[in-house]
Amino acid sequence: MPPKKRPAGDEGNGEEARKRPATATGGKSVSISTPGAPATKPGPTGAARPSPAGMRPGAVRGTPKPGVRKVGASALANRGGARLPGTATIKKEAPPPVVSKNTLMWFRNDLRVQDNRALIEASKRAQIDHDKKKYLFGLYIISEKEWASHDEAPIKIDFWMRNLEKLKESLRKLNIPLIVKRAGTKAEVVGLVESTIKDHGISHVFWNAEYMVDEKARDAKVKEALTKLPGTYVEEFDDQFVVPPSDMKTKIGEHFTSFTAFSTTWHNLVETNPKFLKLSESPSANPDTAQQLYAGFFSSIVPTLRHHTLDEEDVERLYPAGEDIAHKRLASFVEEKVKRYDISRDCLQEQDHQALSPYIVSGVISSRQCVAAARAANGNKIIIGNNGVKAWIKELVWRDFYRYIALAFPRVSKSHAFIAFTENLRYSNDDRKFQMWCQGKTGYPIVDAGMRQLNATGYMHSRVRNIAACFLVKDLLINWQRGERYFMNNLIDGDFPVNNGNWQWCASTGVEGQPYFRILNPLTQSQKFDPSGEYIRQWVPELKNLTDKQAHDPYHTMSAKDFGKLAYPKPIVDHTEAKKKYVDEFKRVLAQK
């Protein structure tokens, strides 16, 4: 059955609001407003307001701490030397000193040392008192129930743990201990962060922002708790957007709902302002004494969470862990493939055995680093130049766009279609057909090949994702949310905003969705993007001995007797009839709009 819908206007909150995936992003303060909530007000030129004592510009802090000095109106009036009538001259006082102790970097969806904005700022804070033997700690919280509520795939969680071990090794070389804790429930996260601060004399806590509904609510609770602790400061940074959402508004200050307009603004900003692709340096090392003082953390082992049923050797071969691996894959892609990306990206014969997406999604490499590398290969240009480079950068812009949409319009994170009236579509939700789709037994070879690749490897070619998604919704007339959830439950690169955005595009329910009458024909898609049938034969071995023509459509190109010998299912729907049924249903909903 599709996820239970909330009553109109019921936005819900926290975990109950979104029982599906989570993906993170990060950077300075977020100024995108959400329905029912006031927008963060920038300064006169869009700059951040003056930071409290001891905080860096651009950082976000929770509610002012008790004892922090607030500047009164008369004092503000006299800052520029002018004096308001009837006001006394007020002697300026120096801000109270910030007592700096140890520093904490809370890692979440940013499992890397290089180009990590919160980490480098945390390192700078720790270095202020380096001679006094103050230390930087890392923290990671394993929260399995929270991840399960967001449908994070077991293979993806395994990938996180393997990369967490690699991160721990990188931090050890810098004498930075990584504390790994486990939360039994999402609610326990607040207490775990708080206890870490108390146990290790932490005065400053840094993290990169996460923007989805549940994560924002969680972080708000953590900030509220920490700012009640005497002498504790929280700093939060934008990190996963290339262009932070606060910089992305239309000319009249509204949210973008058109990818074309969003992309144009994004490209112009990145092309003309070097700050968006400025990469952060690596953090400095702690004093050597940290190794002895915190030996237990350095010698501890990161838990393995291999709850998937896939072959472990295959998984580790396909997706080896480590920041160094991510950079090698990026360098190889930029050197060998990016300039042909516009031609090769949809060709199923050129399968990507060096996928970068799992590393980007899990923050093992930043999207900034990817854009910067592509730009360097294109003569330091992104608007003009090689078509392949431009096409790949555009894919990264889509990533920013779908994150932006999920932040600006949180309804899409709460089991709602972006286009509200499409929620009136009547789906058949045939459970038998849904299971056939999941298992790759629909009788449509290209769809079955994609689903079997997903089930065997945790990955699916991007072109086939669209074909399989469109088939589920428009041929089988099954709610797109069921397919969206199945993908998240199985993809190693499942990324909630992108997965949701792509499914809604295929279902014609999302921002800039595919027109309802444009329905991908699985046969013609197969013939166009896998002309030799190589991809089909790899994943549907029942068809490996067929001719190219037969491999695409065995039921209609073979005799009944020969087809019966294949042990392959006949098509579970007739595409022409299914297409008419879907179009008629969409027209019905349009007429009632």
Side-chain angles (χ1 to χ4, degrees), residues 154-182:
I155 188 176
K156 183 180 177 186
I157 294 172
D158 169 49
F159 188 65
W160 286 345
M161 295 301 101
R162 291 190 288 118
N163 278 285
L164 185 62
E165 181 63 44
K166 294 293 185 180
L167 174 65
K168 182 174 177 289
E169 292 174 10
S170 297
L171 293 175
R172 180 180 56 78
K173 294 175 183 178
L174 298 170
N175 303 322
I176 299 173
L178 177 65
I179 302 167
V180 179
K181 296 190 173 186
R182 299 184 84 144

Side-chain angles (χ1 to χ4, degrees), residues 28 59 150 154 171 197 260 267 296 321 329 348 387 413 432 530 567 571:
K28 64 181 181 184
H150 293 157
L171 293 175
I197 288 168
T260 301
H267 277 83
R329 289 194 170 196
L348 304 188
N387 289 333
S413 298
R432 184 187 68 85
D530 186 28

